[in-house]
Every structure is written in structure tokens, then in C-alpha cells.
Amino acid sequence: MSEPEVLRIAGQDVPVVTANTVVVGTGSAGFCAADRLWELGQDDVVMVADKVNAGASRNAGSDKQTYYKLTLSGGDGDSVREMAETLFAGGAMDGDNALAEAALSARAFLHLCDLGVPFPQNRYGEFIGYKTDHDPRRRATSVGPYTSRSMVEQLENRVRRNGTRIIDECRVVDLITRDGADGPEVAGLLVLRTDIPHDGEQNPYLLFRCTNIVYATGGPAGIYATSVFPHGQWGASGAAYRAGVRGKNLTEWQFGLASTRPRWNVSGTYMQVIPRFVSTDADGGDEREFLTEVIGDYGRLLSLVFLKGYQWPFDIRKALDGSSLIDLLVYRETVLRGRRVFLDFRSNPVRAELDPSALSPEAHEHLDRAGVLFGTPIERLRRMNEPAYQLYLGKNPYVDLEREMLEIDVCVQHNNGGLLVDPWWQSNVGGFFPVGEAGGAHGVYRPGGAALNSGQVGATRAAQFIAARRSWAPAPMEAFMADAGPVLDGALDLVARATARAASGVPDNTGDLLHDVGVLMSAKAGPVRSEQSIGEALVQVHDWLAGYQDLVTADRGSRRAINRTFLVRDILTTAYVYLSAMADYLAHGGRSRGSVLYTDPAGSLPRVGYGPDAARELDLPDLFRFRLDGGALDDQVQEVAWSGPEPSGAAERSGAEDPSPAADRAGRVAFRWRPRRPIPQEDDFFENVWREFREHRNIF
């Protein structure tokens, strides 16, 4: 990486950093990419972060945060192909990504072990495992509630030892692209230095001239308010969509029960000890044990709560008569009734004493083997998993589960879709590699822990391809300046308009807009959606985005407000693309699948699910009527492309019917449904593979 060179671009003296590769994001995927590039001899790399110590890798987790990999212990059979088929079976996942994630899982996992991540092994060196959701083997492992934190810390230590430069406090403004021989190519990146005042002498903008960008910015969690993602986890997907990067499977989010203050998944032991579910009014009064309103059988109530421990994600297939009914009942309390929901570990559900004889055989056996068929939920929790209790004592705000209840909701937890990736995690824009949760490598379902493996594998694959096939220098400076000028001009104009309104007395509205879009998305496009709710949200987000340049107001003297000027635009762009994808999914015949219930008036309500009344529908709102997708679209992938506003009058000149200037101002979203790529059937004859490996390392 060269030292910054100050150049005159768009009337501004702007520092320009030149490097072969810019890694955006300092989570476990970003640090892995930087480390792998260095290992492969590609050390012309710089890392860029919004905040180095923020992000999901470092600050999110659960009772048993899982890493998913090939079986590395015991006598159970496993193979790369079998693991790939497990991933592929989730639906709408491309087979080449599944095969790569399986093939490199052991390599990525052992790399982390060698760096110092303390994954448990027995005395003979076997890395033991357990079953996770959607997992037929015992491929999962963990180092406890901070698995990803341990990963990111060890990877960061390695990257800093390597000497890779990290530039902190940078808000992604826009990507810079240019026309290449095979389509659009990366040319650079524009960021805002959020540590530099906008009204000072130093220019707050920074340009990067580069050949490649590894985009490890995380999922766009900020489009939802009800979230288990860490505060400030926004992602930067909007900039990618504005640059022409396509999205993939954007409808597929994962939701589940989580505490809201602090934000943390209440999976694993938190559910297996069978806490009491309580709702209150907004002020904490009128306490009710609401699950009993729908689940009248005491034993079934206990057993469904227990099952949420390892059936934690909301799964629409388990909502009809299984454990995901719990999620819907919580959703009814918080969203439809406007109440608050808490877990009470101090008291048993329904009765003062736990009646073990009422438990299902599965729940009874598990709790019996753990030696906890006694006492209160908190006593069972501290016996089974003391660190799970201690975890909340160390959070901010801290919660003592022995003395107070824990507030929860149905929260967004992970985006299975994301930016389009090929088998080397390169997008449709040459030199742009989305890795980690920013990349759309997953399908509808995925085994628990597959996300951590995917981030390490994607980062490794991207680094391999860059080192072997994209190691050339960036475009000449003169060409870069021509490409960067209009991008910088656009940023300057947006801020000038926003600050001029503030100077005229219009109040800063960046914080309100950021709040309002999150609340809207959670209310209209969360785990329960309908054609009507998505349409309503789409109209509102469209209006905000179409009029954004004339709407946003920011105080020039506030670094936070200027930062939010670009952040809100990014969130609105992302929300617009995602809502459009949801509307198209329904128009394509899509029904309830994955972690989402799409309301269908012709569908069924959840039912009792046992005994002579098993076919009887429960007394629930019609909003919860749905029909399962049944795998109808598992073999198809939805791709989404956003294009910028058309020039004034372009639609009329093209002869398009019913031209809409407002739609032009918000940009247009186009869709493509294609067959998912199958799992490759590669030639495994050793001499052939060896010859090709000697020739080009099989990187092409």
C-alpha cells in the first residue's frame, strides 16, 4: 500500500490511497481475507473499518455459538460430498458454494485452531462435535458463547503481526467502478472519515484506488429495529447495490427469540431449562402467563419450550404444530397486542413445582441425564450451564436472572441471502468479493454454525483468486480520477443540500429517519409478512428514497449527522431492494418458507398438534394463516439488480407505458429467477487433477 497522495478531484484536495486490495470490514471474515492474502504473498493490502471493535463477530453470540465443519472425531462416517449435500438441501443454495464450503471447512477450522482458537479436543486430538439444527451428523463445535469473538481476536492478532495497515472510523460512501473488458470492474472506494469534522480544514473524504475489494461489511442488520445484531451493525450493502452488484435470496432472513436489553440469543440452555413466559403492559403491570391461552396442555407447553433450545430459529415448518408456535405467540404479544414479553427464570411455568412426568420423553431424558429434574429454571440453568447465567451479569445493561426477568422479542438474527457470489466469492462486478454475511452464499435453511464456516471459506477462496488471477496494479491515476470525480461530486452535493437546509433552520432528521425505517421494516417485513404489509412498506421506503436529496437535513458541525446522511441513504437503498425482492417473491408464487410466515387467507392456522383434537385450528388471528412452500422454489434462485434513477424523460422517450418520474428517482429494481447451480461432479482421477494443479492451481 502506498502512502496517501493528495489530488485535486471534483474541486477538492482529497487524499488517495493506492493498493491492490482493500478489505472493508474487521470481523472474522475480513481479518481472515487479509491474513490469507498475506500468506499467499499478496501483501499490497489495506483494511478499512467503520469501527474496528464493533460488528457481529466481536459482539454477538448465543448460549452455544456454533462452528460447523466436517466431522473430525469418532467413528461416524462423513465426506466432503455428504456435507455439501447437507448444505445444498437447505434449498436455493448454489451447489458450487456448498461444495467449496464443505471442502475447505476442515482447512478453515484447523487454521483457526493453529491461530489459538481453543476448540475442544479429546486427549488424542480429536475435535469433538455435536448435532446442531439441520445437521444429520455431529459436525458442530464451539468454544462457548463467544466463539466468533475468539475467532476475530486471534485473526486480528495475526493480521497486526503481519503488518497490514488498518484505517478505522470510515463510513463507506460509494464504490467506484469502471467498464472492463468483461463488464463493470472495481476501480476504487470513497469513504467518509468520521473522526474528522466536516467544517474543519482537513478534508474528511478519503479515496482508495484499487484492483479488488473484499467486502466483509456484515449483513444489513440496520434495516430492522427489532434485532439481536449488536447496536451499530449496519452493513454497507446499499453502496454495493448502487454500484450494480446484484443481490441473491434477499427474502431469506433468520428470526428467533432474543433478549432486547442486552441483545443476545436465548437459545440452548436458556430454553432447555424451561423458563416461564410472561407478558406485561407497557409499564410492566398486568402480568400474564400468556402461553397457556393457546397451549392448554401443561406437558406440551413444557416440552415445546424445551425444544426451542435446539430448534431456536423460527421455522415456519414447526409453526403449524411444533416449537415455533412459541415465536408466534410472542409476536402476537409484542407486535399485535403492544405488550412486553419476559422470561422468568425464578419460577416454573404454570405450577410452583416442575412435574417431570409431564415432559415429553426427549425432554425428560435430556434433563434427567443433566441431573436437573428439580427446582426452578434458574437452579437448573446454573447446574447445567453456569457461564450462561454469568453471561448476563457481564453484559451492558447487566441482568441478574436470579433476581429479575429478561425482556425478549422475536428478533432478526441473520441474513441468509446477500450480495451475489460465484464459486470464488466474486460478484458480477469484477474484483468485488462479498464475504461473510455480506455475501449471499446460503439458501433458505442452513445448519447452525454454517455462517461462521462460510465466512472463513469465502474469505479464503477470495484471497486465492485475487493472488492467482487479480494481482495487477490498479488503473492509472488519470483514469481513476475521471471515474472518481462524479462519485465524489455526488457525495459533496448530497451533504451541501442537507447542511443548507439545516442552516436555514430545518431540524436535523437523520436520527429520526434511521429509527423510522427500522421500525417500519420490523412491523411490515419481519417474521410475519403479507402482500399488503410489504406493499405498504415499499410505498413508504420508495417515497423516502425518491425524495432523499430534498428530505435529509444534517448539521454541518455534527460529524454524527454527516455520517448518518450517508448511512441513512445506504439503509434506504437496501430496504428498497429487499422489499422489492419480497414483493417479487410473492408475485412469483412464493409461500411461507424458512423463517418467514407469509399471510395467506386461504391457508391454515396453527393447530393443537396432538391427541384427538390434532386437526383443530387454534384461536389465533387470521394474520397467522399460511400455506407452506413445500420446497416448490428450492431449485430456483432469485437475483435482484438495482439501477439508478433514469435521466428526466428517459421513460417517455423509450415508449414505456405509464412512466413514473417518482419511480425513476428511487431507481428501478429488476429480477431474474434462475436454476440454482448443481453440486459439481469433478474429475477426481489423481493424475489429471495433479497436472491441472501444477499448471494453474485449479484457480479459474
Side-chain angles (χ1 to χ4, degrees), residues 200-248:
E201 294 183 2
Q202 188 176 356
N203 196 316
Y205 295 100
L206 177 63
L207 283 164
F208 293 87
R209 179 172 69 107
C210 58
T211 304
N212 307 289
I213 292 177
V214 178
Y215 216 54
T217 54
I223 66 174
Y224 286 102
T226 308
S227 171
V228 75
F229 285 91
H231 288 286
Q233 175 66 43
W234 306 109
S237 298
Y241 293 121
R242 288 193 300 276
V245 180
R246 296 181 197 141
K248 172 186 172 186

Side-chain angles (χ1 to χ4, degrees), residues 316-317 445 585 591-594 627-634:
I316 191 59
R317 299 173 301 183
Y445 297 95
Y585 174 78
R591 294 177 179 171
S592 297
R593 70 176 187 179
R627 284 188 288 176
L628 289 174
D629 165 79
L633 296 177
D634 278 3

